[in-house]
Amino acid sequence: MAKHERWASRIGLVLAMAGNAVGLGNFLRFPAQAAQNGGGAFMIPYLVSLLVMGIPLMWIEWTMGRYGGSLGHHSTPGIFQSMGKSRAWKYLGVLGLLTCLGIASYYLYIESWCLSYAIYSLLGGFGADEPASFFGRITGQSDNQLFAFSIPGLVMFAICIGINIFILSRGVSGGIEVVAKVAMPLLLLFGVVLAVRGLMSDPISDEAVKESPWVGLNYIWSVPDFTQIANPAVWLAAAGQIFFTLSIGMGSIHCYASYLRKKDDVALTGATTAWTNQMCEVVIGSALLLPIAVSYLGLQGVKDSVAGGSGFGLAFFTLPTLFNNWGPQFAPLAGFLWFGLLFLAAITSSLAMGQPVMAFLEDEFKLSRVKASWALMGMLLFLAVPVALIHEQGVFSDFDFWVGTFALVVFALMEVILFAWAFGMDKGWEELTRGAELKVPRAFFYIMKYVTPTFIIVILLAAIFKPSVGWDGFFGSIGSGQGVPAWEWDADSVIGKILHKDLVTPEDASPEVVTYYENLRTVRTYDRIGLLAIFAFFSILVAIAWRRKGKGGTPS
């Protein structure tokens, strides 16, 4: 059963945890956020957020996981209940299962795109206009069409789900750890090869090169736009990136840490995992997308192309064509290395999303590993099929916001309150430092108790009440003496999402377009009901499991 599983080696644990954290956000979202928010100036709030929120939450989740695992719990309902006296904690812990399952439902879809692009690149590469048309072929998406259908895309999606389920069925040490030991070194190798080649582009000898790739690198490290530091939006973007990059605020770290022994170190291992992730993001991530793109598009061209802040279009539509400048022999290989890197980053993260759900079923309902994997696949398909068959503006983007963004912040706030206030900071500190080979600075005792929750509350409130002019525009108007601007909800705010502000029907739209937007709003209403239904479903399972255990609440 799951409670008897252990990591086979410390290096395997670190690589698996790093694989959980190192995902698509390291190589797509981070460069885009840096380019959009002042380059090197973005790194200042980024590092501050890492120190006062990222590292503390990482240690909190590692400590909670090891503590719950020592009592036989390997998923957040049991881990939360083991640390809090109120019976409500186990139901709040259900959010850890919902986020993992919800994110996996669309993350696996992106994973299938990466695999499709990698294979296609290796078979010959992309022409000048092919990446966008290829994306349409594998997703079946077209403008103003609600439903999307692509047999090749669905086949690749099914293959990726099958690969994940098979690996998970092999167990923690026999499946996840084995994959991490292969995938993480390969990922680093692919990244280094691309970064070195990208930095070799020369505007003097190659007329296709508009600017030196070092301009892109220097934008992050040497020539920051310090006027952006006073911009609240930059701080919010930096804090949001920390959630994305460390995979905090969901149940995966708790689950992985629960397979440690009671005195296994969590302080040094947790810090090592965080720094490994940061190396992949800050060092390799910053040396890939921006320098290569700046070479052929120019710095301003790159800024314009990442206006949305995701880097998706640049990575999937633009970069494959830029590789053509590297010659007909190397371009297909470069495309394979790039999308292979993204696939490896994605699969090590998606495995971490599936494991908590399987652990819950194994712990609480005594399912075998194989049966739990089949149950996970059934749950995944319930959410993943709508993701694949409806335009990405519908279920895909809605899931990304509610379970992939908003829920992470809510969950992080709950866990820091549980750890520092319900469980108690004194007991929490004792758990964190037990068996620690790293001396954790005492300052983090107070950071975890006061600064981290305050920081998260500010982020949460800013996300809920964000005005249409942005917080920078809002405070800028007040500071310049123009008074308080007229209030409108931003389309990306929590309230704006509830009101479908990001799905406003364009003026003078045709009846077909009007119907499309009406259908999208209807779909989003139903997908939110679906997420609530999944939460209720897991809550019912928790109630049944704890009733079977009796008052003690520990596995029999």
Side-chain angles (χ1 to χ4, degrees):
M1 302 299 290
K3 62 184 178 181
H4 299 305
E5 292 192 83
R6 299 290 183 197
W7 297 101
S9 63
R10 188 176 204 174
I11 185 62
L13 167 63
V14 171
L15 289 175
M17 279 287 198
N20 168 39
V22 176
L24 298 172
N26 294 68
F27 305 105
L28 303 184
R29 196 174 187 274
F30 171 74
Q33 289 291 322
Q36 192 180 18
N37 292 288
F42 177 76
M43 296 305 298
I44 297 174
Y46 177 87
L47 292 174
V48 171
S49 300
L50 177 66
L51 288 174
V52 303
M53 184 183 69
I55 297 297
L57 282 174
M58 179 71 79
W59 276 331
I60 285 172
E61 294 190 358
W62 273 77
T63 306
M64 291 176 67
R66 186 186 64 178
Y67 180 82
S70 68
L71 299 175
H73 299 292
H74 301 85
S75 59
T76 47
I79 292 171
F80 272 38
Q81 186 62 71
S82 68
M83 302 189 76
K85 295 180 180 179
S86 172
R87 294 180 179 180
W89 281 114
K90 60 180 175 288
Y91 296 108
L92 294 175
V94 166
L95 190 58
L97 299 178
L98 177 64
T99 53
C100 284
L101 188 66
I103 295 172
S105 68
Y106 66 86
Y107 202 86
L108 279 163
Y109 195 34
I110 305 176
E111 190 176 302
S112 71
W113 302 345
C114 297
L115 183 58
S116 300
Y117 269 77
I119 295 172
Y120 192 78
S121 296
L122 195 60
L123 293 177
F126 292 93
D129 301 318
E130 274 194 283
S133 61
F134 180 73
F135 180 78
R137 292 201 299 274
I138 63 171
T139 63
Q141 294 187 21
S142 57
D143 292 341
N144 301 323
Q145 295 295 319
L146 181 66
F147 293 103
F149 186 80
S150 165
I151 292 178
L154 292 175
V155 169
M156 293 304 295
F157 192 19
I159 288 173
C160 280
I161 292 176
I163 291 172
N164 277 262
I165 294 299
F166 173 75
I167 294 170
L168 287 168
S169 71
R170 306 290 293 177
V172 171
S173 60
I176 297 173
E177 185 173 349
V178 170
V179 170
K181 286 179 176 178
V182 175
M184 290 307 294
L186 273 180
L187 183 153
L188 294 174
L189 176 63
F190 289 1
V192 169
V193 171
L194 288 171
V196 170
R197 176 59 186 87
L199 292 173
M200 291 170 60
S201 299
D202 186 359
I204 297 177
S205 61
D206 187 348
E207 61 180 17
V209 177
K210 291 185 176 181
E211 291 187 73
S212 168
W214 295 93
V215 171
L217 199 60
N218 288 342
Y219 183 65
I220 293 180
W221 295 110
S222 302
V223 193
D225 179 5
F226 286 110
T227 61
Q228 293 292 320
I229 295 180
N231 186 344
V234 175
W235 285 84
L236 289 173
Q241 180 60 24
I242 293 299
F243 274 98
F244 277 95
T245 189
L246 291 177
S247 295
I248 51 180
M250 50 194 294
S252 55
I253 293 177
H254 306 78
C255 180
Y256 275 13
S258 70
Y259 296 104
L260 293 170
R261 295 172 179 81
K262 191 174 182 63
K263 292 187 178 181
D264 283 349
D265 171 55
V266 293
L268 178 60
T269 314
T272 302
T273 302
W275 297 127
T276 301
N277 174 76
Q278 297 315 111
M279 181 194 73
C280 289
E281 175 161 291
V282 177
V283 178
I284 298 179
S286 64
L288 281 175
L289 195 61
L290 283 185
I292 295 173
V294 164
S295 298
Y296 304 102
L297 302 177
L299 183 57
Q300 187 56 49
V302 171
K303 290 181 181 180
D304 294 340
S305 66
V306 297
S310 70
F312 177 84
L314 187 62
F316 280 85
F317 299 159
T318 306
L319 206 63
T321 64
L322 300 184
F323 289 143
N324 291 328
N325 294 293
W326 291 0
Q329 288 76 35
F330 191 66
L333 177 60
F336 171 76
L337 293 176
W338 170 244
F339 291 110
L341 177 152
L342 295 182
F343 173 74
L344 293 172
I347 194 170
T348 51
S349 297
S350 61
L351 291 173
M353 298 171 197
Q355 177 58 28
V357 179
M358 290 190 56
F360 171 74
L361 296 173
E362 291 178 88
D363 285 348
E364 315 303 349
F365 292 93
K366 310 307 176 190
L367 296 187
S368 68
R369 190 83 193 173
V370 173
K371 288 181 179 179
S373 65
W374 282 106
L376 170 63
M377 186 169 71
M379 294 178 191
L380 265 175
L381 290 176
F382 177 76
L383 296 177
V385 169
V387 167
L389 295 181
I390 296 176
H391 194 281
E392 63 89 16
Q393 282 188 293
V395 179
F396 186 109
S397 60
D398 213 35
F399 280 8
D400 185 38
F401 180 80
W402 290 111
V403 295
T405 304
F406 179 69
L408 302 187
V409 183
V410 173
F411 187 79
L413 180 60
M414 290 192 310
E415 68 183 7
V416 73
I417 291 173
L418 170 59
F419 182 85
W421 294 91
F423 186 65
M425 197 60 227
D426 290 326
K427 290 173 63 179
W429 189 259
E430 181 183 351
E431 283 294 325
L432 169 62
T433 55
R434 178 182 294 118
E437 299 176 29
L438 171 71
K439 182 174 175 59
V440 182
R442 182 68 179 178
F444 278 100
F445 179 98
Y446 303 100
I447 290 174
M448 290 177 181
K449 189 169 185 178
Y450 301 109
V451 180
T452 303
T454 302
F455 203 81
I456 297 173
I457 288 172
V458 170
I459 294 171
L460 190 59
L461 292 176
I464 293 173
F465 300 105
K466 183 180 178 183
S468 59
V469 294
W471 288 113
D472 52 335
F474 181 79
F475 289 112
S477 296
I478 296 175
S480 63
Q482 299 176 25
V484 179
W487 190 278
E488 289 286 342
W489 299 113
D490 187 79
D492 290 330
S493 68
V494 173
I495 294 178
K497 288 288 186 179
I498 293 174
L499 299 175
H500 301 299
K501 287 285 187 179
D502 58 330
L503 288 179
V504 177
T505 306
E507 294 183 8
D508 302 323
S510 66
E512 179 187 32
V513 174
V514 171
T515 301
Y516 168 71
Y517 276 88
E518 289 176 349
N519 288 337
L520 277 181
R521 288 188 282 269
T522 301
V523 163
R524 286 193 176 183
T525 299
Y526 282 115
D527 76 50
R528 293 168 191 180
I529 293 173
L531 290 175
L532 291 174
I534 291 291
F535 185 89
F537 171 70
F538 278 127
S539 297
I540 292 171
L541 292 183
V542 166
I544 293 172
W546 258 257
R547 188 176 298 115
R548 290 168 59 182
K549 294 176 188 179
K551 295 182 179 180
T554 55
S556 58

PDB file of all heavy atoms in Angstrom, residues 370-395:
ATOM      1  N   VAL A 370      -2.686  -0.374  -9.068  1.00  0.00           N
ATOM      2  CA  VAL A 370      -3.251  -0.446 -10.418  1.00  0.00           C
ATOM      3  C   VAL A 370      -4.694   0.055 -10.430  1.00  0.00           C
ATOM      4  O   VAL A 370      -5.094   0.838 -11.307  1.00  0.00           O
ATOM      5  CB  VAL A 370      -3.170  -1.888 -10.967  1.00  0.00           C
ATOM      6  CG1 VAL A 370      -3.910  -1.988 -12.293  1.00  0.00           C
ATOM      7  CG2 VAL A 370      -1.710  -2.310 -11.132  1.00  0.00           C
ATOM      8  N   LYS A 371      -5.496  -0.369  -9.448  1.00  0.00           N
ATOM      9  CA  LYS A 371      -6.891   0.074  -9.402  1.00  0.00           C
ATOM     10  C   LYS A 371      -6.980   1.584  -9.168  1.00  0.00           C
ATOM     11  O   LYS A 371      -7.839   2.258  -9.742  1.00  0.00           O
ATOM     12  CB  LYS A 371      -7.640  -0.681  -8.297  1.00  0.00           C
ATOM     13  CG  LYS A 371      -7.903  -2.141  -8.626  1.00  0.00           C
ATOM     14  CD  LYS A 371      -8.678  -2.826  -7.508  1.00  0.00           C
ATOM     15  CE  LYS A 371      -8.968  -4.287  -7.852  1.00  0.00           C
ATOM     16  NZ  LYS A 371      -9.706  -4.977  -6.754  1.00  0.00           N
ATOM     17  N   ALA A 372      -6.086   2.105  -8.330  1.00  0.00           N
ATOM     18  CA  ALA A 372      -6.073   3.547  -8.076  1.00  0.00           C
ATOM     19  C   ALA A 372      -5.722   4.319  -9.350  1.00  0.00           C
ATOM     20  O   ALA A 372      -6.271   5.395  -9.604  1.00  0.00           O
ATOM     21  CB  ALA A 372      -5.079   3.878  -6.969  1.00  0.00           C
ATOM     22  N   SER A 373      -4.819   3.759 -10.145  1.00  0.00           N
ATOM     23  CA  SER A 373      -4.440   4.436 -11.390  1.00  0.00           C
ATOM     24  C   SER A 373      -5.597   4.455 -12.382  1.00  0.00           C
ATOM     25  O   SER A 373      -5.812   5.450 -13.081  1.00  0.00           O
ATOM     26  CB  SER A 373      -3.205   3.765 -12.011  1.00  0.00           C
ATOM     27  OG  SER A 373      -3.485   2.438 -12.412  1.00  0.00           O
ATOM     28  N   TRP A 374      -6.368   3.367 -12.438  1.00  0.00           N
ATOM     29  CA  TRP A 374      -7.542   3.348 -13.314  1.00  0.00           C
ATOM     30  C   TRP A 374      -8.601   4.333 -12.816  1.00  0.00           C
ATOM     31  O   TRP A 374      -9.270   5.014 -13.612  1.00  0.00           O
ATOM     32  CB  TRP A 374      -8.134   1.942 -13.388  1.00  0.00           C
ATOM     33  CG  TRP A 374      -7.377   1.023 -14.298  1.00  0.00           C
ATOM     34  CD1 TRP A 374      -6.543   0.004 -13.932  1.00  0.00           C
ATOM     35  CD2 TRP A 374      -7.378   1.049 -15.733  1.00  0.00           C
ATOM     36  NE1 TRP A 374      -6.014  -0.609 -15.039  1.00  0.00           N
ATOM     37  CE2 TRP A 374      -6.503   0.000 -16.167  1.00  0.00           C
ATOM     38  CE3 TRP A 374      -8.011   1.826 -16.686  1.00  0.00           C
ATOM     39  CZ2 TRP A 374      -6.269  -0.254 -17.504  1.00  0.00           C
ATOM     40  CZ3 TRP A 374      -7.774   1.574 -18.026  1.00  0.00           C
ATOM     41  CH2 TRP A 374      -6.915   0.536 -18.427  1.00  0.00           C
ATOM     42  N   ALA A 375      -8.768   4.416 -11.511  1.00  0.00           N
ATOM     43  CA  ALA A 375      -9.730   5.376 -10.945  1.00  0.00           C
ATOM     44  C   ALA A 375      -9.305   6.805 -11.257  1.00  0.00           C
ATOM     45  O   ALA A 375     -10.144   7.655 -11.602  1.00  0.00           O
ATOM     46  CB  ALA A 375      -9.836   5.172  -9.435  1.00  0.00           C
ATOM     47  N   LEU A 376      -8.018   7.076 -11.154  1.00  0.00           N
ATOM     48  CA  LEU A 376      -7.498   8.400 -11.492  1.00  0.00           C
ATOM     49  C   LEU A 376      -7.792   8.730 -12.954  1.00  0.00           C
ATOM     50  O   LEU A 376      -8.202   9.853 -13.278  1.00  0.00           O
ATOM     51  CB  LEU A 376      -5.994   8.463 -11.227  1.00  0.00           C
ATOM     52  CG  LEU A 376      -5.266   9.701 -11.750  1.00  0.00           C
ATOM     53  CD1 LEU A 376      -5.798  10.967 -11.072  1.00  0.00           C
ATOM     54  CD2 LEU A 376      -3.764   9.575 -11.544  1.00  0.00           C
ATOM     55  N   MET A 377      -7.594   7.775 -13.840  1.00  0.00           N
ATOM     56  CA  MET A 377      -7.836   8.022 -15.251  1.00  0.00           C
ATOM     57  C   MET A 377      -9.304   8.367 -15.503  1.00  0.00           C
ATOM     58  O   MET A 377      -9.619   9.277 -16.280  1.00  0.00           O
ATOM     59  CB  MET A 377      -7.429   6.810 -16.097  1.00  0.00           C
ATOM     60  CG  MET A 377      -7.531   7.083 -17.594  1.00  0.00           C
ATOM     61  SD  MET A 377      -6.769   5.799 -18.617  1.00  0.00           S
ATOM     62  CE  MET A 377      -7.945   4.465 -18.375  1.00  0.00           C
ATOM     63  N   GLY A 378     -10.210   7.667 -14.821  1.00  0.00           N
ATOM     64  CA  GLY A 378     -11.628   7.964 -14.970  1.00  0.00           C
ATOM     65  C   GLY A 378     -11.963   9.381 -14.519  1.00  0.00           C
ATOM     66  O   GLY A 378     -12.707  10.104 -15.183  1.00  0.00           O
ATOM     67  N   MET A 379     -11.392   9.793 -13.390  1.00  0.00           N
ATOM     68  CA  MET A 379     -11.619  11.150 -12.891  1.00  0.00           C
ATOM     69  C   MET A 379     -11.032  12.190 -13.844  1.00  0.00           C
ATOM     70  O   MET A 379     -11.641  13.239 -14.102  1.00  0.00           O
ATOM     71  CB  MET A 379     -10.987  11.308 -11.505  1.00  0.00           C
ATOM     72  CG  MET A 379     -11.605  10.473 -10.424  1.00  0.00           C
ATOM     73  SD  MET A 379     -10.738  10.715  -8.840  1.00  0.00           S
ATOM     74  CE  MET A 379     -11.425   9.393  -7.865  1.00  0.00           C
ATOM     75  N   LEU A 380      -9.856  11.890 -14.367  1.00  0.00           N
ATOM     76  CA  LEU A 380      -9.202  12.819 -15.293  1.00  0.00           C
ATOM     77  C   LEU A 380     -10.043  13.029 -16.545  1.00  0.00           C
ATOM     78  O   LEU A 380     -10.218  14.160 -17.017  1.00  0.00           O
ATOM     79  CB  LEU A 380      -7.826  12.281 -15.694  1.00  0.00           C
ATOM     80  CG  LEU A 380      -6.608  12.763 -14.916  1.00  0.00           C
ATOM     81  CD1 LEU A 380      -5.363  12.032 -15.391  1.00  0.00           C
ATOM     82  CD2 LEU A 380      -6.430  14.263 -15.052  1.00  0.00           C
ATOM     83  N   LEU A 381     -10.562  11.929 -17.083  1.00  0.00           N
ATOM     84  CA  LEU A 381     -11.326  12.020 -18.325  1.00  0.00           C
ATOM     85  C   LEU A 381     -12.586  12.854 -18.150  1.00  0.00           C
ATOM     86  O   LEU A 381     -13.030  13.543 -19.077  1.00  0.00           O
ATOM     87  CB  LEU A 381     -11.680  10.625 -18.830  1.00  0.00           C
ATOM     88  CG  LEU A 381     -10.503   9.800 -19.355  1.00  0.00           C
ATOM     89  CD1 LEU A 381     -10.965   8.401 -19.736  1.00  0.00           C
ATOM     90  CD2 LEU A 381      -9.839  10.488 -20.543  1.00  0.00           C
ATOM     91  N   PHE A 382     -13.176  12.821 -16.953  1.00  0.00           N
ATOM     92  CA  PHE A 382     -14.380  13.612 -16.686  1.00  0.00           C
ATOM     93  C   PHE A 382     -14.115  15.098 -16.921  1.00  0.00           C
ATOM     94  O   PHE A 382     -14.980  15.828 -17.427  1.00  0.00           O
ATOM     95  CB  PHE A 382     -14.836  13.381 -15.243  1.00  0.00           C
ATOM     96  CG  PHE A 382     -16.033  14.208 -14.844  1.00  0.00           C
ATOM     97  CD1 PHE A 382     -17.306  13.875 -15.284  1.00  0.00           C
ATOM     98  CD2 PHE A 382     -15.884  15.328 -14.028  1.00  0.00           C
ATOM     99  CE1 PHE A 382     -18.406  14.644 -14.919  1.00  0.00           C
ATOM    100  CE2 PHE A 382     -16.969  16.098 -13.667  1.00  0.00           C
ATOM    101  CZ  PHE A 382     -18.239  15.754 -14.105  1.00  0.00           C
ATOM    102  N   LEU A 383     -12.919  15.563 -16.571  1.00  0.00           N
ATOM    103  CA  LEU A 383     -12.568  16.970 -16.757  1.00  0.00           C
ATOM    104  C   LEU A 383     -11.799  17.215 -18.053  1.00  0.00           C
ATOM    105  O   LEU A 383     -11.917  18.282 -18.661  1.00  0.00           O
ATOM    106  CB  LEU A 383     -11.718  17.456 -15.576  1.00  0.00           C
ATOM    107  CG  LEU A 383     -12.389  17.462 -14.198  1.00  0.00           C
ATOM    108  CD1 LEU A 383     -11.400  17.886 -13.128  1.00  0.00           C
ATOM    109  CD2 LEU A 383     -13.594  18.385 -14.191  1.00  0.00           C
ATOM    110  N   ALA A 384     -11.005  16.232 -18.478  1.00  0.00           N
ATOM    111  CA  ALA A 384     -10.119  16.441 -19.625  1.00  0.00           C
ATOM    112  C   ALA A 384     -10.854  16.422 -20.965  1.00  0.00           C
ATOM    113  O   ALA A 384     -10.461  17.134 -21.892  1.00  0.00           O
ATOM    114  CB  ALA A 384      -9.020  15.383 -19.629  1.00  0.00           C
ATOM    115  N   VAL A 385     -11.890  15.624 -21.090  1.00  0.00           N
ATOM    116  CA  VAL A 385     -12.614  15.549 -22.365  1.00  0.00           C
ATOM    117  C   VAL A 385     -13.213  16.900 -22.758  1.00  0.00           C
ATOM    118  O   VAL A 385     -13.042  17.351 -23.902  1.00  0.00           O
ATOM    119  CB  VAL A 385     -13.694  14.445 -22.314  1.00  0.00           C
ATOM    120  CG1 VAL A 385     -14.610  14.537 -23.527  1.00  0.00           C
ATOM    121  CG2 VAL A 385     -13.034  13.067 -22.254  1.00  0.00           C
ATOM    122  N   PRO A 386     -13.895  17.611 -21.839  1.00  0.00           N
ATOM    123  CA  PRO A 386     -14.376  18.951 -22.211  1.00  0.00           C
ATOM    124  C   PRO A 386     -13.242  19.912 -22.561  1.00  0.00           C
ATOM    125  O   PRO A 386     -13.398  20.761 -23.441  1.00  0.00           O
ATOM    126  CB  PRO A 386     -15.119  19.420 -20.956  1.00  0.00           C
ATOM    127  CG  PRO A 386     -15.502  18.171 -20.249  1.00  0.00           C
ATOM    128  CD  PRO A 386     -14.380  17.215 -20.510  1.00  0.00           C
ATOM    129  N   VAL A 387     -12.100  19.782 -21.884  1.00  0.00           N
ATOM    130  CA  VAL A 387     -10.949  20.630 -22.185  1.00  0.00           C
ATOM    131  C   VAL A 387     -10.523  20.453 -23.635  1.00  0.00           C
ATOM    132  O   VAL A 387     -10.226  21.419 -24.342  1.00  0.00           O
ATOM    133  CB  VAL A 387      -9.771  20.312 -21.241  1.00  0.00           C
ATOM    134  CG1 VAL A 387      -8.477  20.957 -21.741  1.00  0.00           C
ATOM    135  CG2 VAL A 387     -10.067  20.788 -19.830  1.00  0.00           C
ATOM    136  N   ALA A 388     -10.505  19.210 -24.104  1.00  0.00           N
ATOM    137  CA  ALA A 388     -10.004  18.905 -25.441  1.00  0.00           C
ATOM    138  C   ALA A 388     -11.028  19.176 -26.539  1.00  0.00           C
ATOM    139  O   ALA A 388     -10.649  19.395 -27.687  1.00  0.00           O
ATOM    140  CB  ALA A 388      -9.560  17.442 -25.509  1.00  0.00           C
ATOM    141  N   LEU A 389     -12.313  19.164 -26.205  1.00  0.00           N
ATOM    142  CA  LEU A 389     -13.344  19.259 -27.240  1.00  0.00           C
ATOM    143  C   LEU A 389     -14.003  20.629 -27.342  1.00  0.00           C
ATOM    144  O   LEU A 389     -14.880  20.833 -28.187  1.00  0.00           O
ATOM    145  CB  LEU A 389     -14.425  18.199 -26.994  1.00  0.00           C
ATOM    146  CG  LEU A 389     -13.978  16.743 -27.129  1.00  0.00           C
ATOM    147  CD1 LEU A 389     -15.146  15.800 -26.894  1.00  0.00           C
ATOM    148  CD2 LEU A 389     -13.353  16.486 -28.500  1.00  0.00           C
ATOM    149  N   ILE A 390     -13.611  21.556 -26.477  1.00  0.00           N
ATOM    150  CA  ILE A 390     -14.204  22.896 -26.501  1.00  0.00           C
ATOM    151  C   ILE A 390     -13.090  23.918 -26.683  1.00  0.00           C
ATOM    152  O   ILE A 390     -11.969  23.726 -26.196  1.00  0.00           O
ATOM    153  CB  ILE A 390     -14.996  23.168 -25.204  1.00  0.00           C
ATOM    154  CG1 ILE A 390     -16.184  22.197 -25.123  1.00  0.00           C
ATOM    155  CG2 ILE A 390     -15.470  24.604 -25.130  1.00  0.00           C
ATOM    156  CD1 ILE A 390     -16.978  22.295 -23.841  1.00  0.00           C
ATOM    157  N   HIS A 391     -13.369  24.989 -27.380  1.00  0.00           N
ATOM    158  CA  HIS A 391     -12.384  26.033 -27.655  1.00  0.00           C
ATOM    159  C   HIS A 391     -11.681  26.457 -26.374  1.00  0.00           C
ATOM    160  O   HIS A 391     -12.298  26.521 -25.295  1.00  0.00           O
ATOM    161  CB  HIS A 391     -13.066  27.244 -28.296  1.00  0.00           C
ATOM    162  CG  HIS A 391     -12.109  28.219 -28.913  1.00  0.00           C
ATOM    163  ND1 HIS A 391     -11.407  29.131 -28.165  1.00  0.00           N
ATOM    164  CD2 HIS A 391     -11.738  28.417 -30.202  1.00  0.00           C
ATOM    165  CE1 HIS A 391     -10.646  29.860 -28.961  1.00  0.00           C
ATOM    166  NE2 HIS A 391     -10.824  29.443 -30.204  1.00  0.00           N
ATOM    167  N   GLU A 392     -10.380  26.758 -26.492  1.00  0.00           N
ATOM    168  CA  GLU A 392      -9.576  27.033 -25.300  1.00  0.00           C
ATOM    169  C   GLU A 392     -10.079  28.228 -24.490  1.00  0.00           C
ATOM    170  O   GLU A 392      -9.772  28.351 -23.311  1.00  0.00           O
ATOM    171  CB  GLU A 392      -8.105  27.227 -25.681  1.00  0.00           C
ATOM    172  CG  GLU A 392      -7.800  28.405 -26.574  1.00  0.00           C
ATOM    173  CD  GLU A 392      -7.513  29.678 -25.790  1.00  0.00           C
ATOM    174  OE1 GLU A 392      -7.249  29.575 -24.579  1.00  0.00           O
ATOM    175  OE2 GLU A 392      -7.569  30.755 -26.393  1.00  0.00           O
ATOM    176  N   GLN A 393     -10.873  29.118 -25.082  1.00  0.00           N
ATOM    177  CA  GLN A 393     -11.457  30.217 -24.324  1.00  0.00           C
ATOM    178  C   GLN A 393     -12.530  29.741 -23.359  1.00  0.00           C
ATOM    179  O   GLN A 393     -12.952  30.504 -22.483  1.00  0.00           O
ATOM    180  CB  GLN A 393     -12.068  31.252 -25.272  1.00  0.00           C
ATOM    181  CG  GLN A 393     -11.057  32.168 -25.931  1.00  0.00           C
ATOM    182  CD  GLN A 393     -11.744  33.282 -26.707  1.00  0.00           C
ATOM    183  OE1 GLN A 393     -12.401  33.046 -27.717  1.00  0.00           O
ATOM    184  NE2 GLN A 393     -11.613  34.493 -26.215  1.00  0.00           N
ATOM    185  N   GLY A 394     -12.947  28.503 -23.502  1.00  0.00           N
ATOM    186  CA  GLY A 394     -13.991  27.976 -22.646  1.00  0.00           C
ATOM    187  C   GLY A 394     -13.444  27.292 -21.415  1.00  0.00           C
ATOM    188  O   GLY A 394     -12.935  27.922 -20.492  1.00  0.00           O
ATOM    189  N   VAL A 395     -13.499  25.969 -21.404  1.00  0.00           N
ATOM    190  CA  VAL A 395     -13.116  25.192 -20.224  1.00  0.00           C
ATOM    191  C   VAL A 395     -11.633  25.352 -19.901  1.00  0.00           C
ATOM    192  O   VAL A 395     -11.260  25.526 -18.741  1.00  0.00           O
ATOM    193  CB  VAL A 395     -13.465  23.705 -20.437  1.00  0.00           C
ATOM    194  CG1 VAL A 395     -13.061  22.877 -19.223  1.00  0.00           C
ATOM    195  CG2 VAL A 395     -14.949  23.545 -20.721  1.00  0.00           C
TER     196      VAL A 395
END
